[in-house]
Amino acid sequence: MASITRFARTSSSSLQVSTRSAPLALTARNFSTVKFNNNDRKERVVILGSGWAGYSFAKDLDPEKYERIFISPRSYFVFTPLLASTAVGTLEFRTVLEPIRRLSHGIGFHQGWAQDIDFANKTIRVEANAQADSASKAVVPIGQGGQLNQATARGASFDVPYDKLVVACGAYSQTFGIEGVREHANFLRDVGDARRIRLRILSLFELCAYPVGFDVLTEEDRANLLHFAIVGGGPTGIEFASELHDLIHDDLAKMYPDLLKFVRITVYDVSPKVLPMFDQALSKYAMDAFKRQKIEIRTQHNIERIRPADGKLGSEYGELKLKIKQYGDKEVGAGLVVWSTGLMANPLIKQLASQEFAVPISPEDRAEARRPKAKLATDARTGGILVDEHLRVRIETQAADAAKGSEIVPTSASNSLLRDVFVLGDAAVIESQRTLPKTAQVAAQQAAYLAKVLNKANEGVIDVKDAPGFKFRNWGVMTYLGSWKAIHQGPRDELRGWAAWVLWRSAYLAKSMSLRNKFLVPVYWLVSWLFGRGISRF
C-alpha cells in the first residue's frame, strides 16, 4: 500500500479547532487552518492516504452525502499490481495512475504529509509537500527505528478539521536496518521507482555496449554490471524478475546480442522457498519455470550489506557489492538491486500509538481535567492499530465510565472505541481477524465495506455499530512467471501456465479503477506485442 506520512516533527504549539468560516491560507507564520463552510455543510470525511484503501474508499463513498477530503503526499493512486510492467516498458506509466482530483463529483485534496492528529479536537496537522522530490517515489525510514531524515526542508503547516477520519496511510518498505539498503537499493512501490529502474536497466546495457578498448570494463565487470539482483521472493520480486526476463529476451537480446552471455537475474530470499503463500505444487512449478528461463533462485540467503564497488566501477558505473552471510567475505557484484522484502509500520502510526490524548466526555464539557486520558491500542506483533469488526479504532482509557454522548464507547474496564475514527489497510489489525494479509485485496475490501456502511448510516438505515462486521472474502492469489505463464491459487481451484496468465491479465484489467485505464492497458499490451516494449531513455 502507499505510504502517506513522514516522521512527524513535534510542534510546541497545540492544534487549534477552526472557526469554520474561511478557506485555506498560508500565513506569514507558515501555519494556517483549513476551515469548514457552514452553509448547508455535509459531514466532512478526511482520508489519510491515496493507496488501495484510501482511494477505493473515496471512490465508493457517496459524494451527495459526505464532503470527501484527501491528504496525501502524492496526487494520484498507483495500481501496484502492474507497476513491474511499467518498469520494463510493457506498459507506460500513465496506465497505472489515477489522478485524485479526477474522482467523480469533485473532491477536496491537500498534498502533504500528516504530521499529527488531535483526536480530542478532531484536527489534523499537515505539512505541505507539493514541491517535494519524494512525491513520486518510495520513502524509506532510516534504520529500524522508523524515523525519516529530518534534515529535509519543511513545508508550510496547516490544520484540517474533520467530522470523520479514515486513516489509510499504508506502510513503508522493510529494510531490517541492513547497511546500504536505503541508500543503494531500488524499491518498487511508486511510479517514480519504476521509472528509475527502467532508466537504470537501459543505461547498464548502453554502458556495457561500448567497444572493447574504449573503456576500462573487462568481461568480469560487464558480468557484474549486467547482474540484476532481486531481494525478496514474494509476488512483487518474482513478477519483476519475470518481467525483466521478458524485456531482456524478447527485446534487448535483438539489440545487444553480444551482451546476452553476461546477463544474470538472481532472486535472493531468506525463506526455504519463494512464493510461500502458494502450495508446494505451484511453488515448485514456479521454480521449474524460472530454471528453464535461467533465472537463479537463492533461498536461505541473508543479505548483510550493500555498498558501492571500489574505484571507478562504483563511482562512475554504479556497480554494487552485496555481502551475503552464506558466502563469508566474498561479495557479489550487481548493476541493479531491487529490494522487496515486505513492509514495516508507518512512522505516523508509531508516533500516534506512543502518545496520550484527552478524549472529551461530552461536547459541552471541554475542561481538560474532566477528560479521560487515552492511547491507541496496538497489536504487539505488527505495531498496527487495533480496530473492531467495524474498523473503528480501539483505544485504552484510564477511565472506565463515560457519559451519554461521549466520544468514546465503553466496552470494558480498560478498552473503548474512538468514535468517528477508522483505520484501513496495512495500518489496521482487526482484533478478531489478526492474521489477515497486508495486501491490496484486503485493503480494497475493507474500503468497500466501510463506504457502504457509512453511506447507509448517513441515510439513517443503520447505525455503524449495528451493521454486520467486516468479513474478508479470499479471491485467491496470482503471480506472473514470464513467457506468458502464471500461477493462480484460489480457495477452491488452482491454475498454472497460459490459462493462469490469461486470468492474471483479465483480473487486473477488470480491477483497473477508471474506464480510461481499462482502455489504455490493453492498447499498450497490444502495442508492446506488435512493436516491442518502450526502451527510450528520457
Side-chain angles (χ1 to χ4, degrees), residues 137-156:
K137 66 180 180 180
V139 181
V140 186
I142 298 172
Q144 299 190 65
Q147 295 188 8
L148 301 185
N149 185 359
Q150 298 191 42
T152 55
R154 295 182 58 179

Side-chain angles (χ1 to χ4, degrees), residues 479-502:
T479 297
Y480 179 56
L481 301 178
S483 301
W484 293 21
K485 293 182 178 65
I487 53 177
H488 167 263
Q489 179 175 302
R492 300 180 185 86
D493 61 349
E494 61 181 46
L495 286 174
R496 64 186 73 185
W498 184 81
W501 172 80
V502 172

Side-chain angles (χ1 to χ4, degrees), residues 433-479:
Q433 305 172 54
R434 298 194 185 213
T435 59
L436 287 181
K438 304 299 184 184
T439 62
Q441 188 179 160
V442 173
Q445 288 188 31
Q446 289 176 344
Y449 162 82
L450 183 59
K452 182 178 180 180
V453 168
L454 292 185
N455 287 339
K456 288 186 175 181
N458 183 273
E459 297 170 353
V461 175
I462 192 170
D463 196 309
V464 173
K465 70 178 186 298
D466 299 322
F470 170 76
K471 297 295 182 184
F472 172 61
R473 185 174 183 181
N474 184 11
W475 291 101
V477 287
M478 298 180 291
T479 297

Side-chain angles (χ1 to χ4, degrees), residues 98-158:
E98 302 286 356
I100 290 174
R101 291 190 180 275
R102 282 191 173 173
L103 275 171
S104 60
H105 300 93
I107 192 162
F109 173 65
H110 304 299
Q111 187 166 348
W113 308 92
Q115 285 187 301
D116 204 354
I117 302 173
D118 184 346
F119 294 110
N121 293 315
K122 291 192 169 183
T123 316
I124 306 160
R125 174 70 58 84
V126 180
E127 178 186 327
N129 86 320
Q131 298 180 351
D133 291 337
S134 60
S136 64
K137 66 180 180 180
V139 181
V140 186
I142 298 172
Q144 299 190 65
Q147 295 188 8
L148 301 185
N149 185 359
Q150 298 191 42
T152 55
R154 295 182 58 179
S157 294
F158 54 94

Side-chain angles (χ1 to χ4, degrees), residues 179 184 216-217 221 224-225 305-322 329 331-334:
E179 179 184 346
H184 306 299
V216 297
L217 293 181
D221 297 333
N224 286 337
L225 287 172
R305 182 185 66 211
I306 302 175
R307 68 171 182 88
D310 297 327
K312 189 176 180 180
L313 284 172
S315 61
E316 294 188 21
Y317 292 89
E319 182 185 334
L320 299 171
K321 293 292 186 181
L322 284 74
D329 293 332
E331 293 181 307
V332 176

Side-chain angles (χ1 to χ4, degrees), residues 23-39:
L24 167 65
L26 301 182
T27 68
R29 294 179 59 205
N30 215 29
F31 174 79
S32 68
T33 303
V34 179
K35 302 180 181 181
F36 287 118
N37 182 351
N38 283 322
N39 296 328

